[in-house]
Amino acid sequence: MKKQMKYDVKITYIFYLLLAITAVWDIFAGNDEKVFRIALIYVTIFITRILFNKTFLNRSKAGYVVSLTFIFFSMYLANVMNFYSIPHYDKFLHLISGVLLAFYGLILYVFLCGNEENQMMRPIAMVIFSLIFAIACAGLWEIWEFTTDQIFGLTAQNNSLHDTMWDIICGTIGGSFSCFLMYLHIKGKNIQIVKMILKDMEC
């Protein structure tokens, strides 16, 4: 019987095909800069696949798809399709990153502590941990941007506390949204993304 291709592999191949089509188009258009950016996306996907194959993350196919989603928004749309020219797209990315980071927090929590069926752990702890994880990562990213700006003379933060704080706020709002979905899940609602992550981590 022919083995069915898993959904995470299908999505990866679709992404590869999209990148290949875009690269061919840009080569004919003479836009070498975009071809280089597309190559960086290939490398990023390759590294992501290694992380999700060689670490505890290999249990979470949903987490891998979440990663591909962010790569699509932050690298393909932003840098290749020039979505950064859209007003406030950067803030949209921070909002999305908060959503995804909270799900990473969920994956890490289940790996360390077990899921909501573990009688030693209160289910609400899963939600609180994921929210704190998302907020901490949002702050850590701003520390990283500040450090690279100071060392290399970059302008990722636009030399603005206002920009930095809004980035953290957007990340926190995004993380809060994901955690609200987790809360609904532990209250018995049918939240598919949460169910997928928990099911993957049980394997």
Side-chain angles (χ1 to χ4, degrees):
M1 184 173 67
K2 188 175 180 181
K3 188 175 181 181
Q4 188 175 9
M5 188 181 296
K6 296 178 179 178
Y7 73 89
D8 58 314
V9 178
K10 289 181 180 179
I11 293 174
T12 301
Y13 285 158
I14 291 172
F15 202 171
Y16 280 153
L17 179 61
L18 175 64
L19 291 173
I21 293 172
T22 307
V24 170
W25 176 271
D26 288 332
I27 288 172
F28 279 107
N31 198 337
D32 295 336
E33 181 183 354
K34 284 192 176 182
V35 174
F36 176 72
R37 293 175 183 175
I38 292 171
L40 286 179
I41 298 175
Y42 271 109
V43 171
T44 303
I45 295 174
F46 177 74
I47 293 173
T48 302
R49 285 177 62 84
I50 290 177
L51 287 174
F52 276 85
N53 285 330
K54 301 298 184 182
T55 70
F56 72 92
L57 294 171
N58 63 5
R59 296 164 60 185
S60 181
K61 294 181 180 62
Y64 172 70
V65 173
V66 163
S67 299
L68 288 186
T69 301
F70 189 67
I71 292 171
F72 176 77
F73 279 107
S74 64
M75 297 187 72
Y76 181 77
L77 291 183
N79 292 317
V80 176
M81 304 305 291
N82 297 322
F83 272 40
Y84 269 136
S85 62
I86 299 175
H88 309 302
Y89 187 75
D90 175 65
K91 296 298 178 285
F92 169 75
L93 283 182
H94 281 280
L95 191 69
I96 293 296
S97 71
V99 172
L100 304 184
L101 284 169
F103 287 130
Y104 285 132
L106 174 60
I107 293 169
L108 180 60
Y109 174 86
V110 175
F111 173 72
L112 294 174
C113 306
N115 60 26
E116 75 270 26
E117 295 177 359
N118 184 347
Q119 297 301 315
M120 298 295 293
M121 302 298 297
R122 296 184 61 185
I124 194 64
M126 177 179 73
V127 179
I128 295 173
F129 178 90
S130 300
L131 178 59
I132 293 174
F133 181 84
I135 295 172
C137 287
L140 187 62
W141 176 253
E142 294 306 314
I143 292 174
W144 167 257
E145 284 193 340
F146 174 80
T147 302
T148 54
D149 281 0
Q150 295 301 307
I151 295 176
F152 301 109
L154 304 176
T155 57
Q157 293 185 319
N158 297 319
N159 294 315
S160 169
L161 177 62
H162 184 272
D163 180 76
T164 299
M165 292 307 301
W166 271 113
D167 288 348
I168 294 175
I169 290 170
C170 288
T172 301
I173 293 172
S176 299
F177 173 76
S178 295
C179 290
F180 177 67
L181 296 181
M182 296 175 206
Y183 178 77
L184 292 178
H185 169 80
I186 66 177
K187 290 298 182 180
K189 301 297 183 180
N190 184 23
I191 309 299
Q192 285 298 319
I193 182 63
V194 179
K195 288 177 64 176
M196 288 173 62
I197 291 174
L198 293 178
K199 183 178 180 180
D200 283 347
M201 294 302 289
E202 288 173 357
C203 299

